[in-house]
Amino acid sequence: MDFTYVILIPLIPLAAFLLLGIFNQKIKPAVSGYIGVAGLSTSAALSFYTAYQYFFEVGKVDGVYQTFVEKTTWINFTDTLAIDMGILIDPISVMMLIVVSIISLMVHIYSRGYMKGDDGYTRFFAFLGLFSFSMFGLVLATNLFQIYIFWELVGVSSFLLIGYYYTKPSAVSAAKKAFIVTRFADLGFLIGILIISYYTGTFDFETLNNPEGSAILSWASTSFMGLSVITWALILIFIGGAGKSAMFPLHIWLPDAMEGPTPVSALIHAATMVVAGVYLVARLFPMYYFVEDGFALNIVAYVGAFSSLFAAIIAITQTDIKRVLAFSTMSQLGYMMLALGVSGYDGHEGVGYMASMFHLFTHAMFKALLFLGAGSVIHAVHSNYLKDMGGLRKYMPITNITFLIAALAISGVFPLSGFWSKDEILVAAFEHNKLIYGVGIFVAGLTAFYMFRLYFGIFWGKDTQYKHAPHESHISMTFPLMVLALISIFGGFIPFSELITADRVGFEAHINIPLAIVATVVGLTGIGLAYVFYKKENDLADRFSNAFGVFYKWTFNKFYFDEIYLFVTKNIIFNRIATPIAWFDKKFVDGTMEGIGNKTVVISKKIKGIQSGKVQDYAFGFIAGVVVLALVFIYLWTN
């Protein structure tokens, strides 16, 4: 099978970006929307065709899914080390093509209604095209260097989209914050890439991930501070992934990124950019698993588990509905990371890997649905805050039902998609690490609670009297909600364990009934508590928040991590370190250079008369010089 046509999948959004970007002032807004939707529709169709061909026609040979690579050499460093550019087709890259194309297409369609009348309508669709191109390029990358190039392009695209409202100071600050925080993480990623390429002699994923290859078998050849240098490189690469996926402590950019338009939140913070870190660990999973008995993989597991719990606790107290969903995203990404961290490799031992990719897929759908549903609500009431909402089910029936489906899915209610993927994660955690399982099951309860706190607060709760009666959104906005709701209902029945596994062989997954019952009971308990607290207007929530006192205040203020980072940056790095260095640089380094320059000018002024331009002066100087030289030679000759 020739998969060279797959290169069109990223190139079509790139063409849309260039067309809309260059002719931004000439293309009518309505036309730009159609161009964006048409481009992504074509990419989506090609992605689905690729998935069908790969999974059901040509991908499986002798029971094992194969890797297809089309590439060309871009830069030669040495005889053995080169950077290739191309496309890599394997189970997780094909799955990500489906995820990115569905969410991006739904966001493009939704944005035609949501952004209608906006002054930068065409520019917005141009940025969406650039982001889609970058994300497609990232998932198709054949090597570490290529994925890093598109990784940075995704960062630039997210900067442009988060800061789309560039006249709004908070949006500009949020864009800079996201860009700077992820740049620090990406420094670790780059150093990790350089270390791996130096010690293995390759950037290529196929070579690096071969369990029988030298990259994995010779991991112990060089060590540093008690660990293999390859292990250090994998930890550094994970830091890059942790920054992009907003893992603790590099999570601070994600809530602020909600300053961008709501469709951007759905595209970036539900299904694409933030899952890039999870995808990166999955892409290098054989290395993480086999090198040094999975030392780096254990770090992934514990960071993921802690991030999941940390974000879920904060989400309970937030009042901006988009920020609740942002912390929910961080929590669910932690779930995916911990699933990878507790996974084995062969057969059913690799259930964690499969569950992580399964949850990546299902979460992308229902979280995008939640964000787009939140956008529909914000579009109706012109506020992000729960205090301004309530009773909207009467005005927005489609948004209400689809949002409820997404909330039930993320809460792990049978038989929606979240039940199946979350259950497999908990099974993997239970079989490999009981502590992480305990964290996972507790987070499942918290997730159900804060999601239904959000649902009841928006659509039930107090009977708010609106100045202008809200109404259901336009079909261009409700159609994506209905499509994503259907996928959230039926997506769990996809036989992921037969399609996407660590060893690519596939296995038959069975539901673990006792663990499923425990998870379901915990989830329903969370929903029940939210029902009691928020279904009808009462003072229970206020009484409990007052009872928790200082802890509630800390949680509401996100444990003051923004303030801590600001203090460290401003008071320590800027004032205590950078300011003295700047003073030394100005007074001594610059002062020395300026002193040399000033002295040169003073001396020049004193001797500039020599170069007067008058012939008689030069003749006098010449004769005087001859006389002096003659006297010197006479003196030396006579003595």
Side-chain angles (χ1 to χ4, degrees):
M1 177 72 187
D2 184 4
F3 282 105
T4 51
Y5 70 88
V6 173
I7 194 66
L8 293 174
I9 295 174
L11 289 183
I12 291 170
L14 175 63
F17 161 68
L18 294 173
L19 179 63
L20 297 177
I22 293 171
F23 300 103
N24 177 33
Q25 301 299 321
K26 296 181 180 179
I27 298 177
K28 292 181 179 179
V31 176
S32 64
Y34 283 117
I35 290 172
V37 171
L40 257 297
S41 298
T42 308
S43 291
L46 289 172
S47 297
F48 275 95
Y49 175 74
T50 302
Y52 175 78
Q53 288 294 321
Y54 181 80
F55 285 121
F56 304 110
E57 295 290 334
V58 300
K60 206 168 193 177
V61 178
D62 298 327
V64 180
Y65 280 107
Q66 305 298 304
T67 299
F68 298 90
V69 178
E70 303 283 348
K71 62 184 180 181
T72 183
T73 301
W74 183 39
I75 299 175
N76 270 315
F77 285 113
T78 66
D79 293 338
T80 57
L81 184 61
I83 297 176
D84 298 323
M85 295 294 280
I87 55 171
L88 184 151
I89 302 297
D90 72 347
I92 60 171
S93 67
V94 174
M95 183 270 291
M96 285 297 292
L97 284 179
I98 296 298
V99 170
V100 175
S101 59
I102 290 176
I103 302 302
S104 190
L105 177 58
M106 291 302 105
V107 167
H108 273 74
I109 294 171
Y110 182 92
S111 298
R112 290 187 60 248
Y114 190 89
M115 300 300 292
K116 188 176 181 180
D118 190 273
D119 292 338
Y121 189 91
T122 301
R123 174 169 56 89
F124 181 77
F125 276 93
F127 290 165
L128 287 184
L130 177 62
F131 184 88
S132 301
F133 160 70
S134 306
M135 200 64 211
F136 280 130
L138 188 153
V139 302
L140 291 170
T142 64
N143 59 77
L144 279 169
F145 216 97
Q146 185 181 348
I147 203 173
Y148 186 76
I149 292 169
F150 284 100
W151 189 274
E152 295 305 315
L153 271 174
V154 166
V156 171
S157 307
S158 67
F159 172 81
L160 294 171
L161 287 167
I162 294 167
Y164 172 77
Y165 296 122
Y166 59 85
T167 57
K168 189 178 175 185
S170 58
V172 174
S173 297
K176 290 190 290 185
K177 186 175 183 179
F179 193 74
I180 292 168
V181 172
T182 51
R183 290 298 70 71
F184 276 101
D186 292 351
L187 175 62
F189 185 12
L190 179 59
I191 295 171
I193 290 172
L194 296 176
I195 292 172
I196 281 188
S197 64
Y198 180 80
Y199 285 97
T200 65
T202 184
F203 296 110
D204 190 72
F205 286 134
E206 271 196 291
T207 307
L208 291 172
N209 286 329
N210 182 4
E212 305 299 323
S214 60
I216 289 177
L217 294 179
S218 61
W219 63 263
S221 59
T222 309
S223 62
F224 175 72
M225 293 179 64
L227 292 175
S228 161
V229 291
I230 301 299
T231 301
W232 282 114
L234 291 173
I235 292 170
L236 288 166
I237 288 173
F238 172 63
I239 289 173
K244 200 71 90 185
S245 291
M247 293 291 97
F248 178 89
L250 299 169
H251 64 282
I252 59 168
W253 66 270
L254 186 58
D256 294 74
M258 297 301 106
E259 290 291 339
T262 302
V264 170
S265 302
L267 181 64
I268 295 179
H269 309 121
T272 52
M273 171 179 159
V274 290
V275 300
V278 178
Y279 177 78
L280 180 63
V281 176
R283 171 55 69 207
L284 290 170
F285 184 78
M287 292 197 80
Y288 276 96
Y289 180 76
F290 288 109
V291 171
E292 206 146 342
D293 296 323
F295 183 91
L297 202 57
N298 281 326
I299 294 175
V300 172
Y302 284 105
V303 169
F306 182 81
S307 298
S308 183
L309 177 61
F310 177 82
I313 291 171
I314 294 175
I316 291 172
T317 62
Q318 300 304 297
T319 56
D320 181 330
I321 64 173
K322 287 175 68 176
R323 278 176 164 74
V324 173
L325 295 177
F327 281 107
S328 172
T329 300
M330 176 183 168
S331 182
Q332 296 302 303
L333 290 167
Y335 245 95
M336 298 172 209
M337 287 291 193
L338 77 84
L340 286 171
V342 299
S343 181
Y345 186 76
D346 296 310
H348 191 271
E349 287 293 309
V351 67
Y353 178 93
M354 181 279 294
S356 179
M357 296 297 98
F358 195 7
H359 199 57
L360 187 158
F361 178 86
T362 60
H363 172 264
M365 303 305 158
F366 53 68
K367 186 53 65 66
L369 174 54
L370 288 166
F371 268 114
L372 295 182
S376 181
V377 170
I378 293 166
H379 197 259
V381 302
H382 307 290
S383 173
N384 287 28
Y385 293 95
L386 283 169
K387 64 181 177 62
D388 300 319
M389 301 172 189
L392 284 173
R393 70 190 184 282
K394 296 177 290 186
Y395 307 99
M396 310 179 72
I398 297 175
T399 303
N400 170 39
I401 293 169
T402 53
F403 199 97
L404 175 60
I405 291 169
L408 289 168
I410 197 173
S411 300
V413 173
F414 179 85
L416 303 182
S417 60
F419 168 81
W420 304 100
S421 57
K422 188 176 286 188
D423 180 68
E424 295 294 352
I425 290 176
L426 293 173
V427 167
F430 183 81
E431 291 177 353
H432 291 86
N433 190 312
K434 298 296 189 294
L435 174 62
I436 289 179
Y437 169 76
V439 171
I441 200 74
F442 182 54
V443 169
L446 293 178
T447 302
F449 177 77
Y450 69 66
M451 281 312 309
F452 274 84
R453 168 182 175 262
L454 191 64
Y455 170 72
F456 289 130
I458 295 171
F459 297 102
W460 294 79
K462 61 182 180 180
D463 193 11
T464 304
Q465 299 300 313
Y466 298 98
K467 187 175 181 180
H468 301 287
H471 58 83
E472 187 58 270
S473 299
H474 187 266
I475 185 65
S476 63
M477 294 170 65
T478 55
F479 173 74
L481 299 183
M482 292 184 282
V483 171
L484 292 170
L486 285 173
I487 300 173
S488 298
I489 293 170
F490 298 108
F493 297 102
I494 298 172
F496 251 72
S497 63
E498 298 173 15
L499 303 175
I500 298 171
T501 57
D503 60 0
R504 302 190 187 180
V505 175
F507 60 89
E508 189 173 343
H510 299 283
I511 185 170
N512 187 315
I513 294 176
L515 293 182
I517 291 173
V518 171
T520 301
V521 169
V522 169
L524 291 176
T525 302
I527 294 172
L529 286 172
Y531 181 90
V532 171
F533 275 75
Y534 301 104
K535 170 68 163 52
K536 294 180 179 179
E537 190 174 9
N538 58 62
D539 64 345
L540 272 176
D542 292 333
R543 283 158 53 190
F544 265 79
S545 59
N546 292 333
F548 278 96
V550 174
F551 182 73
Y552 176 84
K553 184 181 178 183
W554 276 62
T555 307
F556 180 76
N557 289 289
K558 298 165 283 189
F559 293 99
Y560 295 99
F561 268 89
D562 286 289
E563 289 78 6
I564 291 169
Y565 283 176
L566 188 62
F567 174 81
V568 170
T569 304
K570 190 175 181 181
N571 290 20
I572 297 177
I573 297 177
F574 288 176
N575 293 346
R576 302 291 175 83
I577 299 174
T579 300
I581 292 173
W583 178 84
F584 178 83
D585 179 65
K586 186 174 182 179
K587 295 295 182 181
F588 289 91
V589 179
D590 287 358
T592 302
M593 294 300 103
E594 289 172 1
I596 293 171
N598 291 337
K599 287 296 180 185
T600 302
V601 171
V602 170
I603 295 170
S604 298
K605 286 180 178 178
K606 290 182 177 180
I607 64 173
K608 67 180 181 181
I610 297 173
Q611 298 289 336
S612 64
K614 297 178 181 178
V615 175
Q616 56 269 37
D617 290 343
Y618 296 153
F620 173 77
F622 175 76
I623 295 168
V626 170
V627 171
V628 169
L629 286 173
L631 292 173
V632 169
F633 280 119
I634 291 169
Y635 174 79
L636 293 174
W637 182 63
T638 55
N639 290 287

